[in-house]
Amino acid sequence: MEYLPVPVVPEKLSRILNAIGLEVESFDDYEEVKGGLEGLIIGKVLEVTQHPNADKLSLTRVDIGNGEPLQVVCGAPNVAAGQTVVVAPVGTTIYPKSNPPMTMRIARIRGVESHGMICAEDEIGLGDSHEGIMVIKEDVAIGSPAAAFFKPYSDKVISIGLTPNRSDAMSHLGVARDICAWLNHHEQLNVAVKSPLQVSLPENNNSIPVSVSIENPEACPRYSGVSISGVKVGASPLWMQQRLKAIGLRPINNIVDITNYILHETGQPLHAFDANRIEGQKIIVKNLPTGTPFISLDEKERKLDAEDLMICNGKGEGMCIGGVFGGLHSGVSNETNNVFLESAWFNPAGIRKSSFRHNLRTDAATHFEKGVDISQTVDVLKRAAELICRHANGQIASEVTDVYPFPRKPVEVSISYAYLERLSGKKYSPETVKEILQALGFGMLQEEEGILTVAVPFHKTDISLPADIAEEIMRIDGFDNISIPSNISFSPASETLGKQEALREKMSGILAGMGFREMLNNSITNSAFYNEAELQNSVKMMNNLSAELDILRPSMLETGLQSLAHNLNRKNNNLHLFEFGKTYKTEAPGKYTEEDHLALFITGKKSTDSWKQKQENTDLFYVKGIIRVLFTQLGLPEPVYTLVKNPHMEFFLEGSINKQVLVHIGQVNKKRLDRFDIRQETLYADISWNLTLEQSSKVKLAYIEVPRFPTMYRDLAFVVDKGLPYEKIEAAVASLKIAKLKGINLFDVFESEKVGAGKKSMAMSFSFRDEEKTLTDEEVELLMQKIITIFEKELQAQIRR
C-alpha cells in the first residue's frame, strides 16, 4: 500500500484489479516465518534437574506467566535455570525449517510427562541453528506472545496475470497508477500515486567521472548513469529483504537487492558495474563482431552475434550484454567499493533476440522486450543511487550522465466521441473521458468538433490507435458497466475452410471407429533425428527455447515415433494412432512452405485374444485396407502402389491416383526404431492431405438406384508363377472392360509342392450384374470364359477345373 495515497483493504484491492483488467490469479497470505509464531509464549526456566531415566535429558520447570509452571522434558545441552526462552505449550503447532509441522501434546518421555517444548530457533523457523534452545538476552515480559517480541514479517501477496501488451503494469507503481484512476472515477476522489522518484542526490565529489558514448542509437536510444564511491557491500536492510522474499526473490547483497527492488517498483531494469573494472573510465554502447567470446556472470563463455548489443569499456571489451545479462569480470562483488550504475532504454526486438539466442531469460530482458518507460531513466537512476548512498554508505562520485541523442516525442492519437460510443456501446461524456485519461497519465492536446487528441505517456508502450484509447476508458470505467443493447447486429461471414474441416472431422470419426486414437505432437522437433540430406531444406529455429527443439519437422515420422515410444514405455503395446499435422521446408532463404498431412502409426496386435477369436497381427495389407476405407469415403478409388526406396523403411509403397502421389505406406526399419528405443514392428502411412482433398473435390457424387436385378457370382481357381503380383491380375481383368463385372475378390492363396515348384494356387470370386435385366447362366459363362482366356494368355495361368 506504500504507493497508494489512501488505504485500500486487500479484498477490495483484489476486486479493483479484476475490474480494470489485471486479473488476480492468486491472493495469498505471506509469512516470513511459517505459522507466524502463533501460540508460542515467552517463558522463563525456573529449575533444571537431571531426568531420572535418561542421561542426556533434563527435567525443567518453566514459567509462562499463567499460573502453575509447566513441566517440560528438554534435550538441549545449553538449558539452564534463569534463561528466558520460547515455549510451545500443549496445543501449539510449530513449523520446523526442515521437518513437517508438529502440534504439541502431553507426551510421556522415558516415563516422565512433558507439557510442551522449549524451542530451538530452527524448530520455529527463526534460524538454522539446532545446537541448543534459543535464549533471549533482552528484557521481555514473561507470558507475552513470541510474535509480539520477534515481530515476524507477514503480508498479503496478490499475483496478477498480465497480457503481453500491459508492460505498464509490470511494476508496483504502474499498478498503483491504474488503481488511483479507478478510485478517482468510481469514488470521486482526486488522488495520485505516491511516487518515490522525486529525490535529490547528495553532493557530488566528482571522483569517478565516467563518460558514455552510444555507437548504435537505434538499439540504445537513451543511456543514463552515475558513479558512486565508498560503497560497502553487505546485507540490505531488513525491510527490503522481507519485501523481496515476499515476491519470491532471494536477497543477495545491498547493491543487487536495490537494483532488483527498483525493477519491481518502477519497471525499469538497472545494472551495477564495479567502477574500478571499467577500463579508461569510459562506457561504449556498441556491437561486437560475430564470434567474439564473452564470459557471462554464470561463468559460461558465449559466442556473441553481431546483433548483440554490448556495453563495453574504453578498450572496446564487452562487459555486459545490454539489457540481458552481466559479465563475470565487471559485476559487483564483495570487494567492490566503487559502483557505476546504469539506467538505459534498449530496443525491445533486439533484447528479445539476444535473450533467446543465448537462452538468458532474465527479469531485465523480460521487461525490456515488452517495453519500458524511456522518459524515467534518470529519475529511476537517482532513486536507486539515493538508496545505495543510504544503505551502502556510498557517495555520489560523478554528474548524472544522460546520453539521449534523439529525444522522442509522445505518440499522438485522436479519437472521436462517436467512435468511442460505437465501439463501446456506451455514451461517455467528454468530461469523463478526459478525467480517466488524465488519471492514467495522458496529456490533453486538442478537442474540437467531437474529436479529442491526446499525447500518450511513454509508459503506455502499446497505445497507438483510437481503439487502444477506447480500451483504456472502458477498462477503468469497468466492462461490467456496459449495458447489453436490445438489438445486436452482425454480418455473417463465409467459412472458406468449412468443407475441409468437415472432411477432416469425418476422417477422424472413421479412424476412431476403427480403433485409432488421435495424437497431437509438437511441430518443433530435434534436428538430431535427421541426416544431412534431410536437414538441407529444413526450417531451423532462430530463437529456440531448447537445444532439443531447434527445427520445424520436415517429416511426420519422427515426432510420431516419439509418441509411440512414450506409450510403449508405459506398457501400451497395441497402438493405433493418427495425427493431422504439418511439415515444413525451405527451398530458398526466406521462402518457406508447409504441407498438411494425415499420418497413421500402427504397432502391436490388430486384435487381442477373446473367447470368440484369436489375436491378429497387423501387416501391410491391413494398412492398405485402412487407406482404401478412407479414400472410399472421400469418393476416391484405391491408389495404385509402386515400391520405392526410403532409408528409414524396410519397404515403402507410393500410392498414386491419376498419376499424382497421394500416400506412402511402409514398415519402419529396425535402425530407425532403435533410435527411439522401439522394439516391435511399426507400420506407417502418410497421406498428403491437401493433394488428397484436391483429388476428392474433383469427384462428383451422384445417386445410384439400389439394384433391381440380382448379382451373379462365380469362383475361379488357377495356378500361376509364385512371383506374379496381384496388381497384374487386376490389370488383366480391367483390360477386358466388362461393364457387367461389378467386383473381384481374392479369397485364397495356396502354396505347396503339389501345386508345383515356383507356383501358387489362387482362388478369386467374380460378381456380375446387369442393370437392365437378370443375367442368365449362359451370359455369365461367356463373360467368365473371357477372363479365363486372358488369364491363360497373359498370365500363363493354369485353370483348375
Side-chain angles (χ1 to χ4, degrees):
M1 303 298 177
E2 181 177 332
Y3 309 107
L4 295 178
V6 293
V8 182
V9 296
E11 291 74 14
K12 179 181 179 181
L13 189 62
S14 178
R15 293 194 299 272
I16 294 174
L17 291 171
N18 278 319
I20 60 181
L22 301 177
E23 182 183 1
V24 175
E25 293 186 338
S26 64
F27 182 12
D28 303 309
D29 290 314
Y30 170 77
E31 295 174 324
E32 184 180 23
V33 177
K34 183 71 174 176
L37 304 181
E38 184 178 354
L40 296 175
I41 304 294
I42 301 297
K44 185 168 186 176
V45 180
L46 302 177
E47 178 182 303
V48 178
T49 59
Q50 180 64 48
H51 191 290
N53 302 319
D55 294 338
K56 294 185 178 181
L57 295 179
S58 300
L59 191 59
T60 68
R61 291 177 63 250
V62 183
D63 180 11
I64 60 170
N66 63 352
E68 185 68 24
L70 299 179
Q71 177 175 277
V72 178
V73 175
C74 180
N78 66 327
V79 64
Q83 292 173 333
T84 302
V85 295
V86 178
V87 181
V90 171
T92 300
T93 299
I94 61 172
Y95 298 85
K97 277 205 165 184
S98 55
N99 290 300
M102 180 170 56
T103 300
M104 296 296 105
R105 57 186 176 82
I106 298 175
R108 183 169 291 275
I109 303 174
R110 291 291 184 92
V112 178
E113 280 191 354
S114 180
H115 295 259
M117 186 169 94
I118 304 174
C119 303
E121 64 178 39
D122 69 323
E123 292 171 330
I124 55 176
L126 286 176
D128 298 312
S129 174
H130 194 69
E131 294 179 356
I133 59 171
M134 175 181 283
V135 180
I136 299 173
K137 304 296 184 182
E138 293 85 349
D139 186 16
V140 190
I142 303 304
S144 61
F149 174 71
F150 291 105
K151 296 182 175 60
Y153 180 73
S154 63
D155 209 337
K156 300 284 186 181
V157 177
I158 300 176
S159 298
I160 59 176
L162 287 178
T163 52
N165 63 317
R166 291 303 310 277
S167 62
D168 62 300
M170 291 181 70
S171 66
H172 287 74
L173 282 175
V175 174
R177 185 189 300 112
D178 273 11
I179 293 169
C180 287
W182 189 93
L183 292 171
N184 289 344
H185 177 65
H186 291 275
E187 298 186 357
Q188 290 73 52
L189 301 179
N190 184 21
V191 295
V193 174
K194 293 168 62 178
S195 175
L197 299 182
Q198 308 303 319
V199 298
S200 298
L201 290 181
E203 186 177 348
N204 163 30
N205 62 29
N206 207 31
S207 60
I208 314 174
V210 176
S211 64
V212 175
S213 65
I214 301 175
E215 294 186 7
N216 186 350
E218 183 178 345
C220 178
R222 188 174 192 181
Y223 191 99
S224 308
V226 68
S227 298
I228 307 169
S229 63
V231 168
K232 293 183 180 179
V233 177
S236 54
L238 180 61
W239 63 266
M240 184 176 290
Q241 293 186 45
Q242 290 170 334
R243 293 185 184 184
L244 291 173
K245 288 178 183 177
I247 60 172
L249 294 181
R250 179 176 61 88
I252 298 174
N253 60 50
N254 46 9
I255 307 301
V256 175
D257 290 353
I258 287 170
T259 59
N260 284 335
Y261 185 85
I262 294 296
L263 169 64
H264 291 277
E265 178 182 66
T266 67
Q268 172 67 47
L270 302 172
H271 188 73
F273 296 94
D274 187 326
N276 296 339
R277 298 185 178 186
I278 302 177
E279 294 286 345
Q281 291 186 259
K282 185 174 184 179
I283 294 285
I284 306 172
V285 184
K286 60 187 289 187
N287 298 86
L288 296 177
T290 296
T292 301
F294 172 71
I295 301 177
S296 51
L297 197 58
D298 55 3
E299 300 184 6
K300 294 182 181 179
E301 182 176 288
R302 304 175 188 274
K303 299 296 183 182
L304 299 177
D305 187 272
E307 291 187 352
D308 294 328
L309 187 69
M310 300 298 295
I311 312 301
C312 303
N313 58 26
K315 291 183 177 181
E317 299 166 337
M319 298 189 298
C320 172
I321 303 176
V324 178
F325 208 51
L328 180 63
H329 304 301
S330 62
V332 173
S333 66
N334 291 334
E335 290 72 39
T336 297
N337 57 10
N338 297 316
V339 168
F340 178 78
L341 194 61
E342 164 197 286
S343 176
W345 194 97
F346 297 110
N347 184 285
I351 294 298
R352 183 171 177 82
K353 288 179 181 179
S354 292
S355 173
F356 276 102
R357 186 180 295 119
H358 298 291
N359 196 25
L360 293 169
R361 302 299 293 145
T362 58
D363 279 345
T366 302
H367 280 73
F368 276 128
E369 71 183 30
K370 287 180 170 57
V372 298
D373 186 348
I374 196 172
S375 68
Q376 69 173 4
T377 59
V378 172
D379 290 338
V380 173
L381 180 72
K382 289 181 178 179
R383 159 75 166 157
E386 190 273 333
L387 286 174
I388 291 175
C389 290
R390 192 193 321 168
H391 299 295
N393 298 319
Q395 290 184 308
I396 301 300
S398 74
E399 296 290 340
V400 172
T401 301
D402 183 28
V403 181
Y404 195 9
F406 306 104
R408 298 191 173 187
K409 295 182 179 179
V411 174
E412 296 182 7
V413 180
S414 297
I415 183 172
S416 70
Y417 296 117
Y419 173 80
L420 174 61
E421 181 179 357
R422 185 169 69 254
L423 193 64
S424 67
K426 181 175 180 178
K427 188 175 181 64
Y428 289 96
S429 69
E431 291 72 22
T432 298
V433 170
K434 288 182 282 188
E435 165 209 299
I436 291 175
L437 293 178
Q438 286 176 326
L440 292 173
F442 288 82
M444 302 298 109
L445 297 180
Q446 187 177 11
E447 182 182 13
E448 59 180 8
E449 299 181 357
I451 298 176
L452 178 66
T453 302
V454 299
V456 179
F458 287 108
H459 60 261
K460 292 286 185 183
T461 57
D462 67 310
I463 304 293
S464 61
L465 301 171
D468 298 329
I469 302 294
E471 180 187 359
E472 292 294 288
I473 296 165
M474 295 164 64
R475 191 170 58 79
I476 299 301
D477 180 54
F479 294 111
D480 292 342
N481 293 329
I482 297 173
S483 59
I484 299 176
S486 57
N487 295 320
I488 299 177
S489 60
F490 64 92
S491 301
S494 60
E495 179 53 76
T496 57
L497 298 177
K499 184 177 180 181
Q500 293 183 24
E501 291 301 321
L503 287 174
R504 173 172 169 166
E505 191 67 25
K506 180 180 180 180
M507 293 300 103
S508 297
I510 292 169
L511 287 167
M514 290 191 289
F516 280 79
R517 293 179 180 270
E518 186 171 9
M519 61 179 171
L520 297 173
N521 290 311
N522 194 345
S523 293
I524 306 173
T525 187
N526 192 344
S527 62
F529 294 150
Y530 306 93
N531 58 41
E532 290 186 9
E534 292 168 323
L535 291 174
Q536 188 172 359
N537 294 325
S538 65
V539 180
K540 300 173 179 62
M541 302 291 292
M542 294 179 62
N543 297 315
N544 49 301
L545 294 175
S546 145
E548 295 181 352
L549 297 173
D550 57 348
I551 65 167
L552 294 174
R553 62 182 172 191
S555 162
M556 299 289 290
L557 177 63
E558 288 70 23
T559 53
L561 291 178
Q562 282 184 292
S563 291
L564 281 187
H566 179 84
N567 282 274
L568 292 170
N569 288 339
R570 287 155 180 78
K571 303 302 181 183
N572 297 322
N573 296 324
N574 301 318
L575 298 169
H576 286 55
L577 303 177
F578 75 94
E579 178 184 11
F580 282 98
K582 295 180 183 290
T583 60
Y584 307 83
K585 64 180 180 179
T586 176
E587 301 295 343
K591 294 184 178 180
Y592 305 99
T593 58
E594 56 184 56
E595 298 177 7
D596 289 284
H597 296 259
L598 168 56
L600 310 179
F601 295 83
I602 303 168
T603 187
K605 305 297 182 182
K606 179 168 59 175
S607 61
T608 55
D609 280 330
S610 71
W611 65 272
K612 193 175 182 181
Q613 64 180 15
K614 295 293 184 181
Q615 65 181 16
E616 297 182 64
N617 293 323
T618 55
D619 54 24
L620 173 66
F621 302 104
Y622 175 62
V623 182
K624 289 178 69 176
I626 292 170
I627 299 299
R628 182 171 62 246
V629 170
L630 296 178
F631 276 37
T632 299
Q633 293 298 319
L634 292 169
L636 297 174
E638 184 175 7
V640 177
Y641 291 100
T642 306
L643 188 63
V644 296
K645 291 184 177 181
N646 184 289
H648 303 313
M649 298 288 165
E650 292 289 348
F651 55 81
F652 203 48
L653 298 181
E654 191 175 79
S656 304
I657 295 177
N658 298 328
K659 297 182 180 181
Q660 187 172 48
V661 178
L662 300 184
V663 61
H664 291 90
I665 61 176
Q667 180 180 323
V668 186
N669 63 26
K670 184 177 184 303
K671 181 179 179 182
R672 202 58 176 161
L673 294 178
D674 287 344
R675 179 69 176 79
F676 296 90
D677 200 25
I678 297 174
R679 296 182 177 85
Q680 60 188 54
E681 288 186 358
T682 298
L683 295 162
Y684 169 65
D686 181 11
I687 299 173
S688 297
W689 184 243
N690 286 341
L691 295 178
T692 302
L693 290 181
E694 184 182 323
Q695 287 289 340
S696 177
S697 66
K698 297 175 183 178
V699 177
K700 293 184 178 179
L701 299 180
Y703 170 74
I704 298 176
E705 185 180 1
V706 176
R708 292 182 297 162
F709 301 98
T711 302
M712 307 284 283
Y713 297 93
R714 293 291 185 271
D715 294 341
L716 180 65
F718 52 91
V719 177
V720 293
D721 289 339
K722 185 177 180 179
L724 181 72
Y726 180 69
E727 63 183 354
K728 285 194 175 182
I729 300 173
E730 286 186 320
V733 175
S735 67
L736 295 173
K737 298 181 180 179
I738 301 173
K740 296 180 177 63
L741 179 62
K742 301 303 179 182
I744 62 174
N745 179 46
L746 175 67
F747 63 85
D748 185 52
V749 178
F750 176 70
E751 296 180 18
S752 171
E753 292 181 0
K754 296 179 181 180
V755 176
K759 299 290 184 178
K760 62 183 176 183
S761 174
M762 306 178 73
M764 298 181 66
S765 173
F766 299 85
S767 57
F768 301 91
R769 187 177 64 249
D770 192 324
E771 306 296 344
E772 303 296 331
K773 63 183 180 65
T774 301
L775 286 171
T776 64
D777 288 339
E778 291 78 12
E779 289 173 319
V780 174
E781 291 304 324
L782 287 173
L783 296 175
M784 283 300 298
Q785 190 57 48
K786 288 184 179 181
I787 295 172
I788 290 170
T789 301
I790 199 168
F791 277 16
E792 291 176 333
K793 182 179 178 180
E794 293 193 7
L795 307 179
Q796 287 75 49
Q798 299 173 16
I799 307 303
R800 302 183 69 179
R801 308 287 180 180

